[in-house]
Amino acid sequence: MGRIPSALLVLVVVAMCCAVAMANGEGERERMFLLQDMKRVVKTDAGEMKVARSSKGWISDRPNIHVGFVTMEPNSLFIPQYLDSDLILFVRRGEARVGSIYRDELIERRLKNGDVYRIPAGSIFYLVNTADGQRLQIICSIEKSDSIGWGTFQSFFIGGGSYPTSILAGFERSTISTALNVSESQVRQILTTQTSGPIISLSNSHSDSQQSRVWTQFLEMRHRERVQCLKRMATHFEEEVTEEEEEPIMRKLLNSVFGKEVTGNHVRRSSKKPHSYNLFNRKPDFENDYGSSVTLDQSDYSPLKRSGVGLYLVNLKAGSMMAPHLNPTATEYGIVLRGSGRIQIVFPNGTLAMNAQVNEGDVFWIPRYFPFCQIASQNGPFEFFGFTTSARRNRPQFLVGSNSVLQSMRGPAFAAAFGVSEERLKRIVNAQSESIILPSGSASEEKVKNEMVSEAIGSFSDEMAMGFEGIF
Ligand SMILES: *[C@@H]1O[C@H](CO)[C@@H](O)[C@H](O)[C@H]1NC(C)=O
Ligand SMILES: *[C@@H]1O[C@H](CO)[C@@H](O)[C@H](O)[C@H]1NC(C)=O
């Protein structure tokens, strides 16, 4: 190195800086498949909810799933509400008790780390963080296909006061007082007391804990009473809205609450009550020395059928890669749970659409049909999980690897398509003996680096570039 002229050294430094800058400061386009529009929709002393939405892009197949992140402090309650969207909850950390009305019955389930649970659109539910010293973290898909089209999703709070506002507050006070069979002043009291937001602490013994007491009582009621209490609120709601123009929507929501089919008058009953499914305990569908992957579809967890959403979980060891593949039937959303890596996505015309570094908490999406791959960083394992827009078995098509399309189609026609001899194609295709999850390409990371450097020095003369190649 000592003999390299100093001008050259300066250029080397410049080139390396450029490479670093490109790696860090990727342009807008390079991050177009990250859901960066993260909006906080709830924030209280006892917890918060954030939602990652797609930003407006060129692509018409906009994501129709939002990804929600709910954090609840120990001993807190997300007060009863229903949404105009289907929810699939995934417990990232902690323990929860979730109550929801199903076929006129209150179903309560305890959820733990890794559990998946579906809450249908229009179904009233509440969430309690039961663990004493532990924060609860939930990641959920918010599937908007049933939504009433007001931008993002809508929450309808059953309980509430001045913040959040209960939907009951929208009716005439006398109507509610008749419906609940209590005095109007009692109605006023229950509809104005709540001020601490949708997530409240149940342990708070001071100041404005009156509603905390109310909700604690609510949770301590016996099952039957609790369901009566929720139903009374909702039944009243039904009577009132039959007069309204919006009836179909309201009816739909209510039908969903009471388990009737949306169309027709017949009631279809399923013998299966809602249950949860643990993603972490599931045996991997694929596993080798470099990582593992698990998928969850409607054949394993039947509630997914009604949502049209599937789930997956992938673990890659440091440096490993999920081989380039595409989803023929689904759009995919991913959330990084641990570690960091790169997501590369390719346009239909064969140009790189995104090559972005992602870290814990980042959300990305991959349009149906688009080829992509995920590469773990060299520093450690890369774990991500997510949702797909198909509850059926999503059979990804692998483009590279021993089970790939290249492998099964390597005939004369394919060789001709690449313009190489069959023998040559065979040698190339057979070079990779692993499938699906591929070992650390010292190759791949090195190549990325080299490409960046050569791009960075691309603006200099070719001779210079060759000089650099000698150095690197
Ligand atoms: C309303 O409440 C009164 C007592 O306050 C009770 O006697 C009456 O039966 C209740 N009516 C209904 C319909 O529940
Ligand atoms: C490939 O397609 C993308 C998206 O439509 C476009 O932005 C890009 O310019 C295209 N590249 C080439 C080389 O045609």
Side-chain angles (χ1 to χ4, degrees):
M1 289 290 278
R3 307 198 48 156
I4 297 171
S6 55
L8 199 54
L9 258 182
V10 169
L11 279 176
V12 169
V13 170
V14 168
M16 287 175 82
C17 291
C18 288
V20 169
M22 285 167 72
N24 295 334
E26 286 134 326
E28 195 52 37
R29 200 179 75 91
E30 267 70 44
R31 303 182 71 80
M32 69 194 294
F33 296 105
L34 300 187
L35 300 191
Q36 291 176 288
D37 182 11
M38 183 86 82
K39 196 177 162 208
R40 189 182 273 156
V41 293
V42 168
K43 168 84 182 123
T44 76
D45 290 344
E48 67 170 21
M49 178 170 184
K50 289 191 289 195
V51 177
R53 304 180 302 165
S54 64
S55 54
K56 287 197 178 67
W58 57 276
I59 201 157
S60 57
D61 178 22
R62 291 268 308 284
N64 59 357
I65 285 182
H66 291 330
V67 178
F69 295 83
V70 176
T71 307
M72 290 170 62
E73 297 300 325
N75 208 5
S76 62
L77 165 75
F78 209 145
I79 65 179
Q81 62 177 307
Y82 58 90
L83 303 183
D84 63 349
S85 308
D86 245 42
L87 275 190
I88 310 279
L89 305 179
F90 167 76
V91 180
R92 168 86 178 98
R93 280 195 193 96
E95 285 170 34
R97 201 165 92 202
V98 56
S100 62
I101 303 247
Y102 176 79
R103 315 278 191 223
D104 268 9
E105 230 183 299
L106 179 69
I107 309 283
E108 273 202 336
R109 292 282 178 254
R110 279 183 185 284
L111 303 181
K112 60 177 192 306
N113 226 358
D115 275 348
V116 173
Y117 191 76
R118 170 177 181 253
I119 295 170
S123 176
I124 297 173
F125 72 97
Y126 56 83
L127 276 170
V128 190
N129 178 1
T130 46
D132 233 349
Q134 195 178 18
R135 198 174 268 176
L136 169 66
Q137 283 178 285
I138 288 178
I139 302 176
C140 56
S141 74
I142 305 169
E143 209 267 324
K144 299 186 300 169
S145 61
D146 272 348
S147 79
I148 47 187
W150 292 333
T152 60
F153 69 100
Q154 293 289 324
S155 297
F156 299 78
F157 290 103
I158 305 290
S162 44
Y163 174 53
T165 306
S166 163
I167 48 170
L168 297 177
F171 298 103
E172 283 183 318
R173 205 153 275 168
S174 60
T175 316
I176 297 292
S177 108
T178 312
L180 291 176
N181 193 21
V182 297
S183 74
E184 285 193 35
S185 71
Q186 279 172 294
V187 171
R188 178 158 12 90
Q189 201 184 9
I190 67 160
L191 291 182
T192 54
T193 309
Q194 161 76 294
T195 52
S196 48
I199 303 177
I200 61 173
S201 169
L202 295 173
S203 49
N204 219 339
S205 54
H206 52 268
S207 68
D208 82 327
S209 62
Q210 186 179 342
Q211 81 264 12
S212 148
R213 271 203 304 280
V214 170
W215 288 114
T216 306
Q217 273 168 15
F218 169 79
L219 290 172
E220 282 166 358
M221 280 181 193
R222 290 208 316 274
H223 255 220
R224 230 178 61 78
E225 291 164 351
R226 197 159 357 136
V227 76
Q228 288 308 324
C229 180
L230 281 175
K231 264 175 65 185
R232 208 154 51 208
M233 296 182 196
T235 310
H236 160 69
F237 189 43
E238 177 169 40
E239 284 160 6
E240 185 72 11
V241 294
T242 44
E243 312 293 324
E244 304 279 335
E245 283 176 301
E246 285 155 279
E247 190 214 318
I249 291 162
M250 293 307 181
R251 170 135 335 250
K252 194 170 154 190
L253 291 171
L254 286 158
N255 283 349
S256 175
V257 169
F258 294 107
K260 292 172 195 150
E261 280 303 294
V262 170
T263 50
N265 293 323
H266 64 284
V267 176
R268 200 165 69 193
R269 285 186 185 278
S270 150
S271 54
K272 276 202 155 175
K273 288 184 184 171
H275 54 290
S276 61
Y277 194 102
N278 195 283
L279 195 57
F280 289 158
N281 292 345
R282 190 170 160 75
K283 209 167 145 289
D285 301 292
F286 178 82
E287 189 167 23
N288 64 11
D289 291 345
Y290 315 107
S292 65
S293 82
V294 176
T295 57
L296 185 61
D297 60 40
Q298 62 184 36
S299 62
D300 312 300
Y301 181 50
S302 57
L304 295 177
K305 189 188 286 185
R306 310 200 100 210
S307 286
V309 170
L311 291 97
Y312 68 90
L313 173 70
V314 173
N315 267 289
L316 299 179
K317 302 231 169 101
S320 301
M321 171 202 296
M322 189 91 175
H325 62 291
L326 58 103
N327 293 317
T329 60
T331 292
E332 176 174 322
Y333 299 81
I335 299 104
V336 180
L337 296 180
R338 194 159 54 107
S340 65
R342 298 192 80 77
I343 313 291
Q344 294 189 358
I345 307 178
V346 169
F347 278 130
N349 63 14
T351 57
L352 186 65
M354 182 177 97
N355 178 16
Q357 155 132 18
V358 289
N359 303 307
E360 186 173 326
D362 282 345
V363 185
F364 54 91
W365 71 286
I366 288 128
R368 186 176 172 183
Y369 311 123
F370 277 47
F372 66 105
C373 67
Q374 301 99 336
I375 308 161
S377 77
Q378 297 288 355
N379 311 331
F382 181 38
E383 186 182 21
F384 55 95
F385 113 105
F387 307 98
T388 62
T389 56
S390 167
R392 292 166 197 274
R393 194 163 289 281
N394 171 36
R395 294 183 191 282
Q397 291 281 308
F398 282 87
L399 298 169
V400 180
S402 67
N403 67 333
S404 67
V405 189
L406 278 187
Q407 188 60 252
S408 41
M409 293 186 81
R410 48 145 216 236
F414 224 50
F418 279 108
V420 297
S421 74
E422 209 181 327
E423 192 47 42
R424 179 121 184 249
L425 182 64
K426 195 170 155 193
R427 268 205 315 277
I428 291 172
V429 166
N430 284 346
Q432 178 58 266
S433 57
E434 294 291 340
S435 65
I436 302 183
I437 300 178
L438 312 178
S440 166
S442 44
S444 60
E445 283 277 312
E446 278 301 305
K447 260 212 309 271
V448 169
K449 213 162 69 195
N450 286 343
E451 269 162 22
M452 287 191 307
V453 170
S454 50
E455 264 182 66
I457 60 184
S459 48
F460 303 115
S461 73
D462 285 347
E463 292 83 351
M464 278 291 194
M466 286 174 72
F468 286 131
E469 253 155 41
I471 294 166
F472 285 105

